[in-house]
Each structure stands twice: as C-alpha cells, then as structure tokens.
Amino acid sequence: MTPDTNVPAPDPIDVLLGVLALEDTGARTSEDIFTGSSHPMPGGRVFGGQVLGQSIVAASRTLPEDRFPHSLHGYFLRPGDVRKPLTFAVDRIHDGRSFSRRRIQAFQDGEPIFSGIASFQDEDPGFEHQLPMPEVPEPEQLDGPAAIVADRPEASLIIRANPIEVRHVESDIYLSVDEKSPRQAVWTRLRRPIGDDPMLHRAAIAYLTDFTIQETVLRAHGVAWATPGMRTASLDHAIWWHRPARADEWLLYVQESPSARGGRGLAQGQLYTRDGRLVATVAQEIMLRVPDLA
C-alpha cells in the first residue's frame, strides 16, 4: 500500500508536548505512578532527552508549583522501545524547608530503563556569579535547516520531524568532520513557542541538553554521525539549572569533551541565553563503538 504523501506531517512541537503531558494514574503506594508514551525516533530507540524531560515532569507533579528543579543526576540503564508505553515511579525521598529530593525510575515491560534523582528548591537569595558567555556569531548568521538539507535529501525527513532547531557555530558533523576538535558550540531552541509555564520550560531544557552534547566526543576523533557501523549510547546525564530561561528562545550550547578512553567519552556543556545569562551546566558520558577501533 502506497503511503499518502498528501497527509501533513504532525507538528513536532505538538508531538513533544504530548509526550511531556504524562498521565497521572492516581496510584500511589510508596511511590507516585505516571505513564507516558514516546515520539518516533530513527532506529526505534527512545531518545534519552525525552526520558529526562518526562522524569522532571513526573517529579514536579509531586511538589508545589513554586519549587523548581535545580539538579538531576541519572543513569540510562537499558535502551527504550518507542512502540511501548513508559511508566514513571517517583519516590518522595525528602521534603525540607527549602529543598526536596525525588527518585525517578522509568520502566518498560517491568524493567527499569532509567534511574535518577532530582533536587528541587524554592527561589532563595544568595551569592551570584557566572562564567561569561564566549563571543560567537548570532544564530541568524549561521545556516538554518533549509540550507543543511538542500543537498542532503536523506536528512530532510529527520530534521523536519525534530522539535529542536540547531545551528552549528562550527560546521556540522552529520556526514563528515572538517576539523578535529574536542570543542564546539551550537545555538539551539524549540521550533516554536510552548507557552509560559516555567516548569515546562525546565523540562524542555532537559530535553534539549541530550541533543548534540555527544558531538564533541565524535568531533575530537574526526568521526561523523554517518560513519558506517558506529554505535553510541548515553550512559549517564547530569543537569544543573542555574537560572530560569525559555526553551523556545535561542540558547547557546557551549560544549567540550575533556576525555575519552575505553569506549567511553565524557562531554560537558553550558547553556547561555542570548543576553549572556548562564542557564544550565550539563555533563554526560557516552558509550562509543567505531568498527575499525573495536
């Protein structure tokens, strides 16, 4: 049967908002239980950033609206299947006067695929400083998606279906790597506005942080995403939210890889608003297998 090419593709932001809108089952023993679905992904594996965002949404449902996440530390335990539903179990570990901690586990077929702990805090006064944002070209000065897929029809569908827009300050590494380097910077944002809910924006920023962060490990060794037989998987992920920001406005994601060894690579990143405010710091370790190095 020939697919109907006249049927419009679903709006990628609507799809993202749909997976972040977890269902509260009403069940609670020692844990709160929520359920959700996944958006499509090439290869059928659940996108790690999706699980990060969903975990923050699940944990936030057990807290007052004025207590926001300031850190999340998690491990990806098994690859998820986008065709199967997800169950999120939230353990209310601790509630203090200013801080709350929640353990979140995501399950498929009764087995955990992700386990993490998030910490939430009231807005409190205190010391404030930050590292300055580096000077880079503005996003409008860089190639957008149309230019990227102009001579790459095989990438067109994937890019159009992605709720994240990315513009590399350096050249991208989709098909080749122009210059080896353990550093890069990208401008990134969701493709259209998602409203004004600050918790939703923090969850969406968690979603964004898992996209492109691995590229510093690949770029350092001249390995492009299109390398035949290459396999990657996120092992763990940490986020520290420093200041409120909107995920649907341009953020500069400054990234570097301080080390790679033993089939693992570590990547770190900082997210800045256009006016230079440091929004979040990220760290992730990945598994990387390249055929001629295996």
Side-chain angles (χ1 to χ4, degrees):
M1 182 177 180
T2 303
D4 186 355
T5 57
N6 295 318
V7 176
D11 180 275
I13 297 298
D14 286 342
V15 174
L16 172 61
L17 294 178
V19 300
L20 291 179
L22 301 180
E23 181 179 348
D24 185 344
T25 67
R28 186 171 190 268
T29 52
S30 61
E31 297 178 330
D32 298 84
I33 306 299
F34 304 89
T35 59
S37 60
S38 298
H39 60 58
M41 283 291 293
R45 293 173 59 173
V46 175
F47 174 49
Q50 174 198 301
V51 179
L52 296 172
Q54 289 172 316
S55 295
I56 288 300
V57 170
S60 70
R61 298 273 188 88
T62 70
L63 288 157
E65 292 183 357
D66 58 354
R67 191 161 283 194
F68 294 100
H70 70 87
S71 68
L72 170 67
H73 302 259
Y75 285 89
F76 298 101
L77 305 176
R78 295 176 176 84
D81 186 336
V82 298
R83 299 168 298 178
K84 298 178 179 180
L86 287 155
T87 299
F88 294 86
V90 180
D91 186 359
R92 304 187 185 201
I93 296 174
H94 170 257
D95 285 303
R97 291 191 301 172
S98 298
F99 290 88
S100 294
R101 277 86 180 196
R102 297 291 186 264
R103 179 173 64 90
I104 313 104
Q105 292 201 96
F107 295 86
Q108 282 192 326
D109 293 331
E111 293 188 318
I113 67 168
F114 173 82
S115 181
I117 293 180
S119 184
F120 293 69
Q121 182 192 15
D122 296 338
E123 288 289 344
D124 289 337
F127 292 124
E128 185 163 336
H129 77 274
Q130 67 162 73
L131 294 175
M133 182 175 77
E135 293 186 8
V136 299
E138 296 294 325
E140 291 81 7
Q141 298 174 275
L142 303 169
D143 285 343
I148 292 172
V149 302
D151 57 351
R152 306 176 188 181
E154 72 284 358
S156 177
L157 182 60
I158 295 174
I159 289 177
R160 288 201 313 270
N162 195 331
I164 305 172
E165 183 175 359
V166 172
R167 299 192 180 185
H168 286 77
V169 173
E170 300 80 12
S171 58
D172 66 66
I173 65 166
Y174 299 135
L175 299 181
S176 62
V177 180
D178 290 347
E179 182 178 355
K180 292 183 180 181
S181 172
R183 296 178 176 86
Q184 72 171 19
V186 302
W187 287 101
T188 185
R189 67 177 178 183
L190 297 183
R191 291 186 177 275
R192 66 168 175 80
I194 60 171
D196 298 322
D197 180 354
M199 184 62 72
L200 180 59
H201 281 276
R202 294 206 182 197
I205 284 173
Y207 181 93
L208 288 169
T209 61
D210 191 37
F211 197 65
T212 72
I213 185 69
Q214 306 91 346
E215 291 187 352
T216 52
V217 181
L218 276 64
R219 187 184 291 273
H221 298 274
V223 177
W225 284 115
T227 301
M230 182 185 71
R231 294 186 295 123
T232 66
S234 301
L235 299 175
D236 62 1
H237 196 95
I239 313 168
W240 295 265
W241 291 265
H242 306 307
R243 294 167 180 84
R246 297 186 64 95
D248 52 16
E249 295 180 353
W250 285 116
L251 298 169
L252 180 67
Y253 203 175
V254 181
Q255 305 162 342
E256 66 177 358
S257 175
S259 177
R261 186 180 183 276
R264 293 173 290 109
L266 179 64
Q268 300 170 337
Q270 292 82 38
L271 278 165
Y272 293 87
T273 59
R274 290 189 73 157
D275 59 2
R277 291 182 299 112
L278 180 58
V279 171
T281 297
V282 181
Q284 183 183 95
E285 190 170 46
I286 68 168
M287 180 276 291
L288 174 63
R289 298 278 190 263
V290 181
D292 60 359
L293 297 179

